[in-house]
Amino acid sequence: MEPFLSRCRAELQVNEGRFHVVLGNEACDLDSMVSALAYAYFLSKTVHGGALALPLLNVRQLDFVLRSDNVFLLRKAGMSPDQLLFRDQIDLQALQSAGRLQLTLVDHNVLPSSDNNLEEAVVEVIDHHQLERKPSASCPVTVEMVGSCTTLVTERILQMAPEILDQQLAQLLYATILVDCINMAPAAGKATPKDIHYAAVLEERFPKLPPHDVLFSDLQGAKFDVSGLNTEQMLRKDMKTVSGSLNVAVSVIYITLEEFLQKADLEVELSQFCMRFSFDLVLLMSIRFNAKNEPCRHLAVFSHSATCRAEMSQYLEQVRNPALNLCPISSPHPQITAYLQGNTHASRKKLLPIVRDFLQDCDGHLGEEEEESQVPPTPMNSLVEGCPLDAGPPRISAQALEEKFNKMADARK
């Protein structure tokens, strides 16, 4: 793997041809990182005479330190983060404009709005999340709801080029499947038969892999190590965003929610975080494990707007597909609503579609309001960024946002 990565960095400096970039999602978790590394390596060994395959981590190099479990696994496999390529080191927009970019998406199947102009470069998708991409004859899509995208990459390698697997690559793949599937614990409900099968195949082919309990425990320890991180870094460590009429951050925090809520200045820090990144809502998710390796999940909702917070909380409490089984718990902060999440199988992967449905519901209500008041329709993101029409309404204030949600609540009564 190291010679391949070294060649990637060298070729990027001098090659004026085309590049086939394999890109994970913006969370840049283990699954995204290893899927990108492994699939780009696979392409480099099986596709010849075309574009140069490059794995790209979809995060700034400076932020990679937030992914402590990624750093740990790389070093355990004998690799250095300095060998990797990060999003701020390659100008994908320039490559696309020059007609020199092909893009394979792993661990996500749609590009964020900020990358919409890269859409024409997407030639393949491999993912394990809910399918949101529109069908296209020019872009093969492999989407299967397994526990780990890395499982699908492992399957592709074993079916088409098993000879490229060595101890190092196998350890990267195996470790990621274990982490995503919570060590194959039945109570977690993450592992599918395919995840279990390919983890077992790797164990059989590479008997010197570390014992799965030890490897999982070490990676969990590294993943949950947030020592030295401030609140903003903890929120950004594992964050995904959803945008519509509102801009929502969904962050997994790697300490217990109870401990997180004990921060004295937490509301001030969350407010500063929202102001800096233009978020209207922040959802906080936490998970811990008991002595039997059984998960316990908590969920919290933060917003400056009491109505906005109440609308989201009510939606999460009432949703049935899947039901989160939320039980309110005490919160020392008035602007944070906290819950024990009874459905421990509902990870962020299952929460994100719920948040999208909530935003679509908000968009519908706001659209109806605008039509009734005979005001020209504004863009979906106007509540976040303001209306760009020169003669249109002024920037939406927090008070106006509150009033809109009040009207939505009244309309539902």
Side-chain angles (χ1 to χ4, degrees):
M1 181 69 77
E2 291 93 331
F4 164 65
L5 294 175
S6 296
R7 184 166 66 89
C8 286
R9 295 184 68 85
E11 290 288 340
L12 188 62
Q13 304 301 320
V14 299
N15 193 328
E16 296 185 358
R18 300 174 68 220
F19 293 96
H20 188 156
V21 173
V22 182
L23 183 70
N25 66 47
E26 294 173 294
C28 193
D29 56 6
L30 272 181
D31 202 14
S32 280
M33 179 186 77
V34 173
S35 293
L37 288 171
Y39 197 64
Y41 183 65
F42 164 79
L43 291 175
S44 74
K45 296 292 186 179
T46 57
V47 179
H48 304 288
L52 179 68
L54 293 175
L56 184 63
L57 275 62
N58 200 1
V59 67
R60 297 184 306 166
Q61 184 178 23
L62 181 66
D63 292 335
F64 191 61
V65 67
L66 303 179
R67 303 301 315 171
S68 51
D69 49 343
N70 294 35
V71 175
F72 176 87
L73 180 59
L74 288 172
R75 289 176 176 163
K76 194 170 184 65
M79 299 169 61
S80 168
D82 295 336
Q83 298 171 308
L84 307 180
L85 289 168
F86 298 91
R87 183 62 191 264
D88 54 338
Q89 295 175 324
I90 300 180
D91 190 343
L92 295 183
Q93 314 290 347
L95 289 177
Q96 167 68 355
S97 298
R100 300 172 55 202
L101 180 66
Q102 289 179 309
L103 202 57
T104 287
L105 307 183
V106 291
D107 202 26
H108 61 319
N109 60 81
V110 290
L111 289 165
S113 57
S114 57
D115 284 335
N116 276 344
N117 57 348
L118 300 178
E119 179 58 41
E120 291 184 1
V122 179
V123 296
E124 186 176 11
V125 170
I126 302 175
D127 189 25
H128 69 135
H129 295 92
Q130 178 178 312
L131 181 61
E132 298 176 69
R133 170 169 289 275
K134 295 179 181 179
S136 169
S138 62
C139 177
V141 174
T142 301
V143 171
E144 188 172 342
M145 301 299 283
V146 293
S148 177
C149 183
T150 304
T151 296
L152 303 177
V153 175
T154 303
E155 178 181 48
R156 185 75 60 92
I157 292 173
L158 285 170
Q159 288 179 349
M160 301 184 65
E163 70 280 358
I164 75 171
L165 269 177
D166 58 15
Q167 179 77 23
Q168 184 184 63
L169 180 56
Q171 184 163 319
L172 293 175
L173 296 168
Y174 179 66
T176 305
I177 296 173
L178 288 182
V179 168
D180 277 355
C181 296
I182 312 182
N183 205 23
M184 307 301 176
K190 295 278 285 182
T192 68
K194 182 168 283 191
D195 298 299
I196 296 169
H197 170 72
Y198 282 106
V201 170
L202 291 171
E203 289 174 340
E204 181 180 355
R205 287 176 59 95
F206 298 93
K208 292 184 179 180
L209 285 171
H212 67 92
D213 286 336
V214 174
L215 184 56
F216 177 76
S217 178
D218 288 346
L219 282 164
Q220 285 296 105
K223 183 176 185 177
F224 283 80
D225 181 13
V226 293
S227 56
L229 299 185
N230 59 32
T231 297
E232 179 185 310
Q233 290 173 322
M234 290 176 65
L235 293 170
R236 292 175 55 231
K237 177 178 170 66
D238 195 353
M239 180 185 77
K240 293 190 177 181
T241 62
V242 187
S243 296
S245 296
L246 303 172
N247 203 15
V248 183
V250 185
S251 294
V252 177
I253 54 174
Y254 292 102
I255 57 176
T256 64
L257 183 62
E258 296 96 325
E259 183 181 352
F260 191 73
L261 292 177
Q262 293 308 309
K263 289 173 168 283
D265 297 325
L266 182 58
E267 284 189 344
V268 173
E269 293 171 335
L270 287 171
S271 297
Q272 292 172 343
F273 176 74
C274 287
M275 291 179 63
R276 179 172 180 182
F277 297 102
S278 300
F279 290 125
D280 302 288
L281 274 161
V282 178
L283 300 187
L284 306 166
M285 303 187 74
S286 72
I287 184 171
R288 61 179 174 83
F289 300 89
N290 61 22
K292 296 181 181 180
N293 207 29
E294 297 169 333
C296 176
R297 292 185 183 273
H298 286 86
L299 179 64
V301 182
F302 169 83
S303 177
H304 284 300
S305 164
T307 307
C308 184
R309 184 171 63 255
E311 286 281 328
M312 172 60 88
S313 299
Q314 182 182 31
Y315 195 91
L316 295 175
E317 290 171 10
Q318 296 178 351
V319 72
R320 291 292 176 266
N321 187 27
L324 300 178
N325 301 332
L326 299 180
C327 178
I329 60 175
S330 176
S331 168
H333 305 282
Q335 293 181 323
I336 301 176
T337 304
Y339 300 96
L340 172 66
Q341 182 178 308
N343 182 357
T344 59
H345 292 177
S347 62
R348 183 173 58 186
K349 184 170 73 170
K350 296 182 179 179
L351 180 65
L352 288 173
I354 296 173
V355 176
R356 293 189 187 100
D357 289 344
F358 170 77
L359 294 182
Q360 288 177 0
D361 189 44
C362 290
D363 293 343
H365 280 282
L366 294 178
E368 291 168 8
E369 251 186 286
E370 289 158 358
E371 184 175 350
E372 290 171 1
S373 62
Q374 298 182 344
V375 175
T378 56
M380 288 176 60
N381 65 349
S382 62
L383 295 182
V384 178
E385 298 174 357
C387 179
L389 300 175
D390 292 339
R395 184 177 178 87
I396 300 295
S397 66
Q399 182 180 359
L401 179 63
E402 188 93 19
E403 290 174 356
K404 280 185 177 288
F405 271 92
N406 284 331
K407 291 178 182 178
M408 288 167 54
D410 291 341
R412 292 178 178 175
K413 293 180 180 178

